[in-house]
Amino acid sequence: MRRAAAMRLGTHKRMAQTCRAQGEGSTQRRTIRKTLTRKLSGDDFRHPLDQQNTALLRALPGFSTLARAAVGSVAEQAMLLENVGSCVRVGETQLPKMHRMHTEAADILGLDPAPELYVRQDPQPNAYTLAVSGRTPFVVIHTALLELLDMNELQAVLAHEMGHLKCDHGVWLSMALAMADGATRMPGLGGLLATPMQDGLLRWLRAAELTCDRAALLVVQDPKVVVSALMKLAG
């Protein structure tokens, strides 16, 4: 137990060092006079294919209620606990610069309350979001992103993840994945139906990512920042 505790302490020390380095940062954040858009809806910036497929699922009677109930699964609850237990939460007194940048992005996108933000010790540059029924959604960023991106680019990544929340991608895409998986299990014509459904789903997933790149642009309001962040993440 002492060894495990020492390992956890060492991990948190390394995470704190990375976070401090990012917060103090050698790269200065460029100040941009930003335009706030009131009552912004996810449909205002959705990619056309994302808009079309979401509208089709919304049109199904009772589908929205069923989808939201199904998303709060046991697996997601376990993922929530695992993330909260192993990450550092960003707030007004802990990484305050990042917190202000995060809340600014939420304000521009009209997310109220703002999702919680956590930093996870991980050498792979990545970020993700999770919304579990009954609690505030949250965003997780890996420490590798703090080393790779400057503050403006990091805000673009945060805004991208918030775009998924704003557009309920976790709800609609999860149910679409379940429908495609169900088609593969159908006897007879299931295989014939599954292939076009899976192809269409892949196109929708890509369109959803483009939607969230638009959310990033709405927040940072500088195309060069979004392009720079995408180029760095592409390697």
Side-chain angles (χ1 to χ4, degrees):
M1 290 180 66
R2 290 181 180 176
R3 183 179 179 184
M7 291 177 65
R8 286 196 298 272
L9 180 60
T11 298
H12 280 81
K13 282 183 177 178
R14 289 193 299 273
M15 189 184 298
Q17 290 169 355
T18 301
C19 291
R20 279 198 300 271
Q22 190 276 344
E24 295 165 359
S26 58
T27 54
Q28 296 294 321
R29 188 179 179 209
R30 295 188 298 278
T31 302
I32 301 171
R33 186 182 296 276
K34 296 185 177 180
T35 301
L36 295 179
T37 304
R38 301 299 179 187
K39 297 182 179 179
L40 183 69
S41 165
D43 289 338
D44 292 333
F45 59 88
R46 283 186 194 270
H47 184 277
L49 181 58
D50 187 13
Q51 184 88 270
Q52 173 187 324
N53 289 349
T54 302
L56 287 174
L57 292 184
R58 280 177 177 165
L60 297 176
F63 190 87
S64 177
T65 302
L66 174 64
R68 293 176 193 280
V71 166
S73 64
V74 174
E76 287 190 326
Q77 293 287 350
M79 187 177 177
L80 165 67
L81 294 174
E82 196 273 336
N83 276 297
V84 172
S86 61
C87 300
V88 171
R89 183 172 176 180
V90 176
E92 293 181 358
T93 59
Q94 188 158 251
L95 300 172
K97 290 181 181 179
M98 193 185 304
H99 174 70
R100 289 193 295 271
M101 182 176 65
H102 176 71
T103 54
E104 179 187 59
D107 287 343
I108 292 174
L109 292 177
L111 286 171
D112 186 21
E116 296 171 359
L117 177 60
Y118 293 88
V119 179
R120 182 186 184 94
Q121 177 73 29
D122 197 296
Q124 297 297 321
N126 194 23
Y128 53 91
T129 185
L130 186 65
V132 177
S133 179
R135 80 175 311 278
T136 303
F138 64 91
V139 175
V140 177
I141 58 173
H142 289 180
T143 49
L145 280 179
L146 307 184
E147 299 169 354
L148 180 66
L149 306 177
D150 68 25
M151 292 291 280
N152 292 292
E153 294 161 348
L154 182 61
Q155 188 180 45
V157 170
L158 293 173
H160 176 103
E161 296 305 320
M162 289 187 208
H164 286 301
L165 293 173
K166 185 71 175 179
C167 295
D168 281 333
H169 284 151
V171 173
W172 303 116
L173 288 169
S174 293
M175 292 306 294
L177 283 165
M179 292 170 66
D181 183 62
T184 63
R185 302 173 189 275
M186 290 175 58
L189 297 177
L192 294 176
L193 292 174
T195 299
M197 286 183 68
Q198 290 171 343
D199 289 345
L201 182 57
L202 289 173
R203 288 194 294 272
W204 187 5
L205 288 169
R206 184 61 198 138
E209 292 302 315
L210 293 173
T211 291
C212 294
D213 290 341
R214 292 178 172 190
L217 184 56
L218 281 170
V219 168
V220 300
Q221 300 183 15
D222 184 346
K224 292 181 180 179
V225 171
V226 178
V227 171
S228 177
L230 291 173
M231 292 295 288
K232 288 182 180 180
L233 291 171

